[in-house]
Amino acid sequence: MKIFLIGYMGSGKSKIGQKLSEMLGFNFIDLDAYIQDKEGMSISEFFTKRGEIYFRRKERDYIMELLDQDDVVIALGGGTPCYGDIMDVLVSEPDSTTIHLKTSIPQLVSRLWTERAKRPLIAHLSTQEELTEFIGKHLFERNVFYLKSEQSVVTNDKTIEDIAIELQSLLE
Ligand code: S3P
């Protein structure tokens, strides 16, 4: 069984994925960390040195490579399902499920504001108002893909543990 966690930057995919994998006794793979290991550089360096278009190509190659895995929780990058045919491939993958972690814009802003330097798409934004506007527009475009997920969970005001328990019960 493969569980793909989908959602915007800051929606908690990595932390929730880690917790859920422990509860299920599954492996956990964070796609960004996997790419960083394989490429030998941080995501920010990757964007600077190779550009976003090349990153999106490699992101597709690596997620396809991971489809061989079993009993695994995979936290995607926020943009992974929003390019090419990736979301359709994931939804039609046998013995797997796609789960959308939905987080409100104010919560995303408060989580991402202090961490924006690590995220190349938002690192240049200089006020919380700009970040709010950016996320609003970006989510509007990306929700078309995120909403194709087979299941979804609202993460606002819940602990990592509570969300992982909720996900576990969705999977039963
Ligand atoms: C991105 C999200 C990031 C990372 C890259 C691009 C995006 O992953 O893949 O910075 O396009 O939303 P997280 O969602 O894990 O922050």
Side-chain angles (χ1 to χ4, degrees):
M1 169 88 183
K2 285 184 279 288
I3 299 162
F4 300 106
L5 295 184
I6 286 168
Y8 201 70
M9 295 178 268
S11 59
K13 302 178 294 291
S14 307
K15 287 185 183 145
I16 295 164
Q18 177 74 57
K19 185 79 205 161
L20 179 65
S21 67
E22 285 165 22
M23 288 164 53
L24 297 172
F26 280 18
N27 290 324
F28 172 66
I29 298 171
D30 178 276
L31 183 62
D32 282 343
Y34 187 81
I35 296 174
Q36 291 180 154
D37 276 2
K38 291 273 184 173
E39 296 288 326
M41 63 180 112
S42 71
I43 300 293
S44 297
E45 258 181 287
F46 197 124
F47 268 67
T48 309
K49 290 192 176 153
R50 304 280 163 82
E52 183 176 354
I53 293 173
Y54 186 67
F55 173 79
R56 297 300 173 196
R57 239 193 282 154
K58 295 307 286 182
E59 197 177 28
R60 184 181 196 285
D61 292 347
Y62 288 126
I63 190 70
M64 294 302 156
E65 187 173 301
L66 290 173
L67 296 183
D68 278 352
Q69 304 264 335
D70 197 13
D71 290 345
V72 66
V73 177
I74 302 177
L76 304 186
T80 319
C82 309
Y83 291 86
D85 59 350
I86 295 179
M87 194 61 199
D88 296 331
V89 169
L90 299 181
V91 168
S92 57
E93 183 65 15
D95 196 25
S96 76
T97 190
T98 42
I99 306 179
H100 178 204
L101 303 178
K102 285 168 80 170
T103 311
S104 71
I105 294 177
Q107 290 218 351
L108 291 173
V109 170
S110 76
R111 290 185 201 163
L112 290 171
W113 176 246
T114 52
E115 293 181 10
R116 66 195 188 288
K118 284 187 278 178
R119 291 178 161 97
L121 295 180
I122 54 172
H124 63 288
L125 300 171
S126 52
T127 64
Q128 293 202 27
E129 289 68 34
E130 278 177 22
L131 181 59
T132 306
E133 197 186 325
F134 180 92
I135 295 175
K137 287 184 182 156
H138 212 194
L139 265 182
F140 182 73
E141 294 162 10
R142 288 189 166 183
N143 272 335
V144 178
F145 300 93
Y146 294 160
L147 295 176
K148 289 185 179 181
S149 302
E150 290 143 286
Q151 321 212 45
S152 77
V153 160
V154 174
T155 69
N156 301 329
D157 304 316
K158 295 176 188 165
T159 64
I160 301 293
E161 178 140 284
D162 285 347
I163 299 162
I165 291 169
E166 202 174 327
L167 291 179
Q168 194 180 27
S169 66
L170 276 184
L171 297 166
E172 282 166 5

